[in-house]
């Protein structure tokens, strides 16, 4: 173990850490926003849309994330029409391809969590809301969705950790995330452990922080349940 | 009479013992480097490195096996004794010499930039904002970083992915050795419209003394045997025979 080597390259790891944090938090944001309607149409059996959402979740949960990432990054770039389209400035960048891949994949998993939570909200809540004169939409927005999201917190915290660990795949398409930084260090100095161990320590530190945050969230939002 | 028989028997036993200790070399390699090491359609290994490796074994009367390993783990796996020597077009550099020992070189080929024919790279500028694709953990990375610190360097797991992104336009140029560019890119569909630039890059500080066979640190005996075999192959014409199978010129270099 060459600690001085790691210290000398702290800027490399700082850049990796920054990229991982941005990538994971944006993926969670976009994935989460996409997951709510996907969960709704499935939970309430909306015709056509419900089936489409089911298909979406089946495809993205049924194939490995690495394969999805390669299809988005290398696959799409093979088509002349894609390269000439208005989407190319985005799809050209490895970082955005990773972001798109992780968001779409994360949405599929999160939608399953939310769907389960929505179905788990007792009938009584609906009846009470209706009895107060709320419309379906108002009851959903003001009563049902907040309860469902709160109930999702424990399962969702797991999902966040999975997205973080899945984000290492970004390094396979040249993004310098935490693992990418570790690999670059190993590759530049022909060392074996230093890069990986530093990466592992950084991931553990993030997971530790995340679990503290989620424990606080659970304490705050799940107290009444 | 009895004495001579006894000596003869001892001699036979010794001879037998010596042949039982026949040399075994386990080669480690990476098969994504046409035409040096790649796979045939049925999955077997082939290429210049493969033929040279087998010729060395024939010369040393050694038994040889081949093990494949991804490039960025090729030295760690050698140290973990997954194999005895790396025969994978590895350039001899000072950085690598710190962790492994090398045989003498078995070939040396210059590096060049490759770019779109209608968008050549100005190698005399600082390449500010130019995106260069390169395989991770290769000597080209160090050279590019030192010479063009302002360029953006993207590191890929294999050259195949560099070529995909070069043809897709995600990177502006790539630097690799001439033969790799020629055989694994320019002659493929992806390489249409691309050309090699004219300047040879051979800076020995980065590109070293050429391409050698790496063994674990301290195993100089094996390295010496391999170096000797390479010289023998040069002398007896086997090298030239293998060379002509793949290249129109002598890749051993001056």
């Amino acid at each position: 173990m060459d600690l001085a080597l790691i210290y000398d390259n702290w800027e490399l790891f700082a850049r990796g850490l920054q990229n991982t944090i941005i990538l994971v938090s944006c993926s969670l944001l976009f994935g989460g926003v996409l997951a709510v309607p996907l969960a709704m149409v499935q939970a309430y059996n909306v015709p056509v849309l419900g089936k489409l959402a089911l298909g979406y979740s089946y495809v993205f949960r049924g194939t490995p994330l690495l394969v999805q990432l390669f299809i988005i990054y290398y696959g799409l770039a093979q088509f002349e029409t894609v390269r000439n389209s208005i989407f190319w400035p985005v799809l050209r960048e490895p970082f955005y391809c990773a972001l798109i891949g992780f968001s779409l994949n994360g949405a599929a998993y999160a939608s399953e969590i939310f769907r389960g939570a929505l179905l788990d909200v007792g009938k009584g809540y609906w009846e009470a809301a209706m009895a107060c004169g709320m419309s379906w939409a108002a009851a959903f927005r003001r009563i049902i969705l907040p309860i469902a999201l709160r109930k999702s917190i424990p399962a969702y915290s797991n999902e966040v950790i999975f997205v973080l660990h899945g984000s290492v795949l970004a390094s396979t398409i040249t993004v310098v995330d935490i693992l990418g930084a570790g690999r670059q260090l190993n590759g530049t100095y022909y060392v074996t452990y230093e890069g990986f161990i530093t990466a592992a320590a950084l991931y553990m530190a993030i997971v530790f922080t995340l679990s503290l945050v989620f424990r606080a969230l659970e304490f705050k939002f799940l107290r009444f349940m | 009479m009895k004495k001579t028989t006894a000596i003869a028997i001892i001699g036979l036993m010794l001879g037998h013992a010596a042949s039982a200790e026949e040399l075994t070399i386990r080669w480690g390699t990476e098969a994504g480097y046409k035409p040096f090491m790649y796979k045939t359609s049925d999955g077997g290994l082939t290429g210049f490195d493969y033929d040279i490796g087998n010729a060395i074994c024939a010369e040393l009367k050694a038994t040889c096996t081949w093990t494949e390993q991804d490039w960025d783990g090729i030295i760690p796996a050698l140290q973990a004794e997954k194999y005895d020597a790396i025969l994978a077009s590895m350039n001899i550099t000072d950085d690598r010499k710190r962790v492994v020992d090398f045989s003498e070189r078995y070939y040396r080929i210059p590096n060049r930039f490759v770019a779109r024919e209608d968008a050549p790279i100005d190698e005399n500028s600082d390449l500010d904002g130019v995106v260069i694709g390169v395989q991770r953990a290769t000597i080209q990375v160090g050279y590019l970083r030192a010479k063009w610190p302002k360029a953006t360097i993207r590191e890929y797991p294999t050259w195949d992915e560099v070529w995909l992104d070069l043809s897709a336009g995600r990177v502006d140029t790539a630097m690799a050795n001439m033969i790799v560019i020629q055989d694994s890119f320019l002659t493929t569909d992806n390489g249409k419209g691309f050309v090699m630039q004219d300047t040879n890059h051979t800076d020995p500080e980065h590109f070293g003394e050429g391409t050698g066979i790496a063994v674990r640190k301290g195993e100089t005996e094996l390295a010496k045997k391999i170096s000797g075999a390479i010289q023998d192959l040069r002398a007896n014409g086997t090298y030239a025979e293998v060379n002509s199978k793949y290249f129109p010129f002598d890749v051993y270099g001056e």
Side-chain angles (χ1 to χ4, degrees), chain B:
Chain B
M1 184 63 194
K2 257 187 182 168
K3 211 175 176 185
T4 42
T5 318
I7 290 171
I9 289 169
I10 291 169
L12 275 171
M13 287 168 72
L14 283 177
H16 186 73
S19 69
E21 270 180 61
E22 193 185 299
L23 183 63
T24 310
I25 304 177
R26 294 174 300 162
W27 300 118
T29 193
E30 191 245 2
Y33 204 57
K34 213 175 167 187
F36 295 98
M37 185 63 79
Y38 58 104
K39 285 189 183 171
T40 55
S41 47
D42 60 8
L45 293 170
T46 185
F48 179 79
D49 285 0
Y50 184 70
D51 289 354
I52 288 289
N54 289 336
I56 290 173
C57 289
E59 195 63 35
L60 294 174
K61 299 196 171 42
T63 320
C64 288
T65 58
W66 292 89
T67 305
E68 283 182 62
Q69 168 67 43
D70 271 349
W71 184 250
D72 56 4
I74 206 156
I75 289 179
L78 173 72
Q79 287 161 337
E81 305 203 8
K82 304 276 189 228
Y83 36 76
D84 306 311
I86 299 170
L87 209 180
S89 291
M90 182 175 276
N91 283 276
I92 306 166
T93 63
D94 288 342
D95 277 345
R96 285 185 181 136
K97 274 190 200 162
R98 260 183 253 139
V99 288
V100 293
D101 281 341
F102 279 99
S103 72
E104 278 165 35
R105 78 165 198 268
Y106 66 97
Y107 76 85
R108 175 160 62 193
I109 297 163
N111 293 272
R112 287 193 182 183
F113 277 110
V114 54
R116 201 170 272 286
E117 203 166 5
D118 49 20
I121 303 300
D122 179 9
E123 298 175 27
N124 296 319
S125 74
D126 62 3
L127 297 185
D128 194 1
V130 173
V131 185
I132 308 172
V134 69
Q135 179 172 299
R136 183 183 290 140
T138 54
I139 45 169
Q140 284 86 359
V141 180
Y143 179 68
L144 291 167
R145 283 236 175 79
K147 197 150 183 224
W148 292 281
K150 286 193 172 160
T152 305
I153 293 158
R154 291 230 181 105
E155 299 179 41
Y156 292 82
T158 69
W159 286 111
D160 290 343
E161 283 139 352
V162 177
W163 306 138
L164 277 176
D165 266 7
L166 183 59
S167 70
R170 281 203 184 101
V171 299
D172 304 308
T173 183
M175 179 186 271
N177 106 30
M178 285 172 69
I179 288 174
V180 170
I181 296 175
Q182 182 65 35
D183 283 35
S184 72
F185 183 54
L186 292 183
T187 50
T188 66
D189 282 348
N190 280 336
K192 289 209 179 85
F194 288 85
V195 287
M196 258 190 264
Q197 308 221 143
D198 293 329
T199 316
N200 282 336
H201 296 269
T202 51
D203 185 353
E205 192 197 323
H206 290 281
F207 294 119
E209 306 143 37
T211 302
I213 295 166
V215 298
R216 275 181 292 280
K217 197 96 195 134
E219 300 202 350
T220 38
E221 195 59 35
L222 180 58
K224 239 184 241 164
K225 274 187 190 154
I226 293 172
S227 299
I230 295 168
Q231 285 316 314
D232 291 345
L233 296 178
R234 288 291 295 169
N236 68 19
T238 315
Y239 188 99
E241 211 173 284
V242 172
N243 189 110
S244 65
K245 229 172 112 182
Y246 297 95
F247 312 109
F249 57 92
D250 186 4
V251 294
Y252 189 74
E254 308 81 49

Side-chain angles (χ1 to χ4, degrees), chain A residues 85-178:
Chain A
S85 73
I86 51 161
F87 302 112
W88 186 239
V90 173
L91 289 175
R92 187 178 196 270
E93 296 302 322
F95 185 87
Y96 291 124
C97 287
L99 181 58
I100 293 169
F102 297 161
S103 300
L104 293 178
N105 184 273
Y109 284 95
S111 76
E112 292 297 319
I113 294 172
F114 294 159
R115 182 183 66 93
L118 283 173
L119 290 176
D120 197 38
V121 177
K123 237 181 176 174
Y125 288 98
W126 280 108
E127 285 164 357
M130 297 296 182
C132 293
M134 286 188 205
S135 65
W136 189 94
F140 180 80
R141 183 168 50 82
R142 289 162 66 177
I143 310 293
I144 308 303
L145 185 62
I147 291 173
L149 289 182
R150 283 170 189 223
K151 285 189 172 200
S152 309
I153 291 175
Y156 190 69
S157 72
N158 234 359
E159 165 64 12
V160 170
I161 291 172
F162 278 129
V163 171
L164 173 70
H165 291 335
S167 77
V168 298
L169 294 178
S171 72
T172 60
I173 56 166
T174 79
V175 175
V176 182
D177 66 345
I178 294 173

Side-chain angles (χ1 to χ4, degrees), chain A residues 6 9 24 27 41 54 64 81 97 118 120 128 132 145 155 158 171 182 195 199 202 206 213 218 222:
Chain A
I6 298 168
N9 288 279
V24 170
S27 307
V41 293
L54 183 71
T81 38
C97 287
L118 283 173
D120 197 38
C132 293
L145 185 62
N158 234 359
S171 72
L202 287 171
I206 299 178
V213 168
E218 283 177 32
L222 294 181

